[in-house]
């Protein structure tokens, strides 16, 4: 199966929701709120897509970067029907190529996906911290 990878601007909430809802990320992203999805797409400065020969979105990498030190990968998603074909690794490889050798890619794993991230060459750390957006005092 031929997959085309490209850096894109203008990815729509509808396409994003269609793809992500067919992946593990669908249960932990606000796919029922297209306005919020569109807003975070518009504020992401690195979006890489994987499309089949018909142009259908089958995977994506969404990140925020300063282009010189770090890129935070907010989403790495592949539709379940296309998983196991190397698309996730190819998306990460394309991001690394675009960012260059001086930029580190970081992400928070979906619980249970740690083995996948190790498989595509990421290193695991126990030193990650976050402030949950739902539990603020």
């Amino acid at each position: 199966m031929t997959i085309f990878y490209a850096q894109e601007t203008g990815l729509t909430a509808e396409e994003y929701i269609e793809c992500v809802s067919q992946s593990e990320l669908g249960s932990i992203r606000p796919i029922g709120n297209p306005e919020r999805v569109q807003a975070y797409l518009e504020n992401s400065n690195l979006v890489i897509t994987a499309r089949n020969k018909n142009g259908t979105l089958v995977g994506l990498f969404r990140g925020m970067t300063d282009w010189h030190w770090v890129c935070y990968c907010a989403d790495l998603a592949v539709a379940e029907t296309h998983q196991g074909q190397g698309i996730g690794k190819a998306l990460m490889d394309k991001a690394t190529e675009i960012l260059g050798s001086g930029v580190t890619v970081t992400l928070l794993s979906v619980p249970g996906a740690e083995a996948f991230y190790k498989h595509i060459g990421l290193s695991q750390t126990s030193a990650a911290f976050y402030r949950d957006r739902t539990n603020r005092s």
Side-chain angles (χ1 to χ4, degrees):
M1 175 175 284
T2 303
I3 302 294
F4 301 95
Y5 300 90
Q7 183 177 356
E8 289 190 30
T9 58
L11 182 65
T12 67
E14 291 75 22
E15 276 191 300
Y16 172 95
I17 290 166
E18 179 68 25
C19 180
V20 170
S21 67
Q22 297 176 48
S23 75
E24 292 286 324
L25 284 182
S27 65
I28 58 172
R29 293 297 184 265
I31 59 175
N33 187 340
E35 294 81 19
R36 187 174 187 187
V37 170
Q38 191 64 49
Y40 69 64
L41 287 172
E42 290 171 2
N43 286 286
S44 300
N45 62 354
L46 181 59
V47 175
I48 302 167
T49 58
R51 295 182 180 276
N52 66 17
K53 65 181 179 180
N54 298 324
T56 302
L57 184 68
V58 297
L60 63 95
F61 173 106
R62 180 178 70 89
M64 282 77 59
T65 184
D66 56 24
W67 299 102
H68 295 278
W69 186 251
V70 68
C71 177
Y72 170 67
C73 175
D75 296 322
L76 181 61
V78 176
E80 287 180 4
T81 56
H82 288 76
Q83 291 176 5
Q85 300 175 34
I87 295 171
K89 181 178 185 327
L91 285 163
M92 185 63 71
D93 290 347
K94 185 70 171 175
T96 302
E97 173 190 325
I98 290 168
L99 291 162
S101 61
V103 179
T104 296
V105 177
T106 64
L107 60 77
L108 295 175
S109 176
V110 172
E114 297 87 355
F116 167 73
Y117 294 117
K118 287 180 183 178
H119 174 73
I120 66 169
L122 276 67
S123 300
Q124 188 172 8
T125 179
S126 61
F129 298 88
Y130 72 99
R131 177 174 285 166
D132 192 315
R133 70 189 141 293
T134 60
N135 295 321
R136 294 192 185 154
S137 334

